[in-house]
Amino acid sequence: MKKIFLALLILALAAAFTACAGCDEDDAPDRDDLSHELMYTRELAHARDLGGMEITIARMPGFPEECADTFELHDWMDDDMREQVQALWDNRREMEERYNFRIRYVGLGGFDFGATGDRGAWMEIEQDFIDGIENEIRAGNRDYTVWNLSAQQSFRANAAGLFAPIPTELFDASEAEWNRCVWQWSMRGGSPHAFSPQGERWPSGGGIMFNMRLLEGAGLPPDLPFTLQASGEWTWDALEDVARQVAAVPRMDSVIVPLVALRSQDFAIQALTSNNADFAVLDPETGLFADATNTPEFSQTMEWLVQMRDERLVSEVFRSDADGMWVDGLSLFRDEEAAMVASPFHFFADLPHEEWGFVAFPKGPNAQTHYTPTSRHPFYVIPYFFSPQEVEDIVFAIRMWYRLPETENPDWMHWANEWFENADPRSISESMVNFTENPALQRITSPTMMPWAHWEESFSSHWDQAWEWYNRGDWQTQELDTRTAHQIINDAQAEWNEFLQRINN
């Protein structure tokens, strides 16, 4: 299967070099005074006139500069996608004319295509972008009306008080639910300072990919995870039962790993999310992080992970094959050496068969339903120097602009059908639909919000040693760590508290 996602990313970035003359100020309606005297109610929204307001949405370099006059229908798009993109931008242009405003995307900073494969270069580009946000806002630059950020990119500037508060009453019920995670993590002084346009959808979170043929070979119904998920019985205990039955199958020439994690840290984050636990919480009054590793939910999750380790039901397996190449968990799953893989993302796997599926991570004892971690919500922020009336007008315009046409199918569904073309259809129609279209089931975890410029300063670095209890190495010969959950937490505690103090200051 072609690596569709990578190709699309490269082509999308290439569009950054396309001219955007139609977005220039000379072609936009004249700007009127933004200090409106008349306050429009939502009931009269259809009559609202924003006076030719121009809104510039700044985002990472490499993305195309575009507006309703300059968007492109690329050759790599199929007919259905071209029709969707055309309808989307036609709808945006209609909103602009109806309410008398204009929106355009711009990129801030440079982008070096030669550095795209270099992790350090990517981090430098992102750090320059974060520094640029703060510099432009501190300078009072009104040319950038809105900033489209990731959760992590937003934290430092928000903590410094550079964003305007967002009135939650401007959003209807469905939009408020979609914004719940963003509002929670952008709280300062009791008010959210970011929002997320409801029209932007991505397949959310991660879960468990499972090989239906290997489950059937272990005496289980091949679609058992789908059945348990639908009935609400897909729990930690149920996952253990499936893993134990797979592990009990006698084999002469090979060992099938019941469940493999791509990275034990990612696996732990999914487990914590599934049990309503997290590494840290945010104080909504101060915007500061507080330690949450001392909560009963966190300890209970760690104890379950240690139990899974001790029974050898799960492993983060990295080993060298006969050719000296490193083999990771996804490769083991692809080669049918693992029955399940806990993935932090929706991977599109080129499997040699069509007998596999995808479900949510099983729920823990402290959860009423399944939850999935997500970092896909964009954080849209407005600089602090825009007045409350301007903020209201800007939010209204963006809400209208991002609303999807009535007849449009979700873009994420189009891509999911491409990526998971060999999966059981329930992977999309049940698992992904449920969690993508129900933001109440999504959780943004604290590691996603942690700011860091270098790996040595990151959340991952501070917890890296704590996850060595999963031990990398050959599944059959590795020596397991014997630390208890309490010892694992204690080993990381002092450094963790120091890390929280540093990012809070």
Side-chain angles (χ1 to χ4, degrees):
M1 177 180 173
K2 295 180 179 179
K3 304 302 182 185
I4 298 174
F5 181 77
L6 180 60
L8 294 181
L9 176 61
I10 294 172
L11 287 167
L13 294 177
F17 295 92
T18 302
C20 191
C23 296
D24 291 343
E25 291 184 358
D26 292 341
D27 298 319
D30 293 334
R31 181 192 293 270
D32 288 348
D33 183 8
L34 297 177
S35 302
H36 305 301
E37 297 180 358
L38 180 62
M39 293 290 291
Y40 294 95
T41 64
R42 285 187 292 277
E43 289 76 14
L44 296 176
H46 65 280
R48 191 164 186 167
D49 188 330
L50 297 182
M53 171 182 276
E54 299 171 16
I55 297 171
T56 299
I57 301 176
R59 54 186 179 179
M60 281 279 288
F63 288 98
E65 297 196 1
E66 56 188 351
C67 62
D69 294 331
T70 63
F71 71 92
E72 286 196 75
L73 299 175
H74 297 280
D75 293 339
W76 49 263
M77 297 178 178
D78 60 29
D79 290 342
D80 288 341
M81 188 176 186
R82 291 173 68 87
E83 184 177 337
Q84 285 190 17
V85 171
Q86 181 70 55
L88 175 65
W89 284 96
D90 286 349
N91 187 71
R92 288 175 172 178
R93 188 63 173 133
E94 179 184 344
M95 293 299 102
E96 290 177 346
E97 293 175 353
R98 180 182 302 177
Y99 301 114
N100 195 12
F101 69 89
R102 294 281 277 154
I103 288 181
R104 62 175 180 143
Y105 290 119
V106 299
L108 180 72
F111 184 84
D112 180 7
F113 275 94
T116 56
D118 186 298
R119 178 178 181 177
W122 269 115
M123 292 174 61
E124 184 176 343
I125 290 171
E126 183 169 42
Q127 187 58 44
D128 288 344
F129 177 66
I130 294 173
D131 292 340
I133 296 168
E134 298 185 15
N135 292 337
E136 296 294 345
I137 294 178
R138 292 184 192 279
N141 190 345
R142 296 175 66 92
D143 292 339
Y144 302 109
T145 321
V146 177
W147 294 85
N148 177 357
L149 310 176
S150 69
Q152 187 182 83
Q153 290 166 349
S154 72
F155 177 78
R156 193 175 75 181
N158 189 34
L162 298 183
F163 302 150
I166 303 298
T168 58
E169 62 269 17
L170 300 180
F171 300 82
D172 61 32
S174 64
E175 291 171 311
E177 186 56 52
W178 174 248
N179 273 281
R180 181 185 53 77
C181 284
V182 173
W183 288 348
Q184 172 192 356
W185 284 111
S186 66
M187 283 287 179
R188 247 187 91 255
S191 297
H193 287 68
F195 65 101
S196 185
Q198 194 174 18
E200 293 201 347
R201 286 278 199 266
W202 286 82
S204 61
I208 303 290
M209 294 168 63
F210 61 96
N211 185 313
M212 301 173 73
R213 191 184 66 78
L214 291 181
L215 262 58
E216 187 172 28
L220 297 164
D223 61 350
L224 179 61
F226 286 128
T227 302
L228 293 173
Q229 177 177 256
S231 66
E233 299 173 287
W234 182 231
T235 63
W236 287 358
D237 289 342
L239 176 63
E240 289 178 39
D241 291 341
V242 172
R244 289 190 187 109
Q245 196 148 338
V246 170
V249 176
R251 295 179 178 87
M252 297 294 294
D253 56 348
S254 65
V255 174
I256 301 298
V257 181
L259 173 64
V260 65
L262 298 188
R263 289 181 67 242
S264 51
Q265 191 175 117
D266 293 325
F267 180 51
I269 288 175
Q270 285 205 81
L272 288 165
T273 301
S274 75
N275 200 37
N276 276 334
D278 202 342
F279 289 90
V281 294
L282 195 69
D283 184 333
E285 293 299 323
T286 63
L288 301 179
F289 287 103
D291 181 26
T293 62
N294 54 3
T295 63
E297 294 81 5
F298 191 96
S299 297
Q300 183 182 43
T301 305
M302 294 298 293
E303 288 167 0
W304 177 69
L305 291 170
V306 168
Q307 174 191 330
M308 293 282 283
R309 174 204 71 186
D310 290 344
E311 289 194 49
R312 307 201 72 177
L313 299 178
V314 63
S315 180
E316 178 189 24
V317 181
F318 283 79
R319 59 177 172 77
S320 179
D321 63 15
D323 297 324
M325 302 295 292
W326 282 102
V327 178
D328 61 15
L330 187 60
S331 298
L332 290 178
F333 182 73
R334 182 182 293 116
D335 296 339
E336 301 193 88
E337 296 179 49
M340 296 178 285
V341 58
S343 165
F345 312 104
H346 292 134
F347 280 95
F348 45 102
D350 294 328
L351 300 179
H353 54 80
E354 298 181 1
E355 300 175 54
W356 64 281
F358 175 83
V359 290
F361 198 92
K363 62 184 177 182
N366 283 290
Q368 298 299 314
T369 185
H370 300 105
Y371 298 112
T372 183
T374 180
S375 59
R376 293 298 191 183
H377 290 265
F379 278 47
Y380 278 56
V381 300
I382 301 172
Y384 72 92
F385 45 73
F386 284 94
S387 71
Q389 181 59 60
E390 289 175 311
V391 169
E392 180 181 344
D393 290 342
I394 292 165
V395 169
F396 174 82
I398 290 178
R399 287 175 57 230
M400 297 300 104
W401 200 71
Y402 270 103
R403 285 188 172 176
L404 299 176
E406 294 291 335
T407 57
E408 184 176 0
N409 294 322
D411 282 344
W412 75 263
M413 180 81 76
H414 177 88
W415 298 120
N417 284 318
E418 292 277 356
W419 298 341
F420 282 75
E421 62 181 356
N422 292 328
D424 186 291
R426 286 170 288 185
S427 301
I428 299 172
S429 63
E430 294 180 13
S431 300
M432 294 185 203
V433 166
N434 190 30
F435 293 99
T436 301
E437 299 298 331
N438 287 283
L441 305 180
Q442 301 172 15
R443 296 288 186 270
I444 296 178
T445 58
S446 58
T448 304
M449 292 297 300
M450 301 293 184
W452 52 280
H454 305 286
W455 173 259
E456 293 76 13
E457 301 176 355
S458 71
F459 158 85
S460 296
S461 175
H462 286 285
W463 276 91
D464 211 28
Q465 297 301 316
W467 307 118
E468 290 303 314
W469 50 281
Y470 265 115
N471 282 329
R472 300 181 178 186
D474 189 275
W475 168 251
Q476 301 181 55
T477 61
Q478 64 177 325
E479 295 181 5
L480 292 178
D481 193 333
T482 59
R483 285 181 298 166
T484 66
H486 181 70
Q487 289 171 327
I488 292 168
I489 296 172
N490 279 348
D491 287 349
Q493 202 66 53
E495 205 172 340
W496 176 236
N497 288 334
E498 181 182 340
F499 172 74
L500 290 178
Q501 290 178 6
R502 180 175 60 77
I503 64 173
N504 281 334
N505 295 323

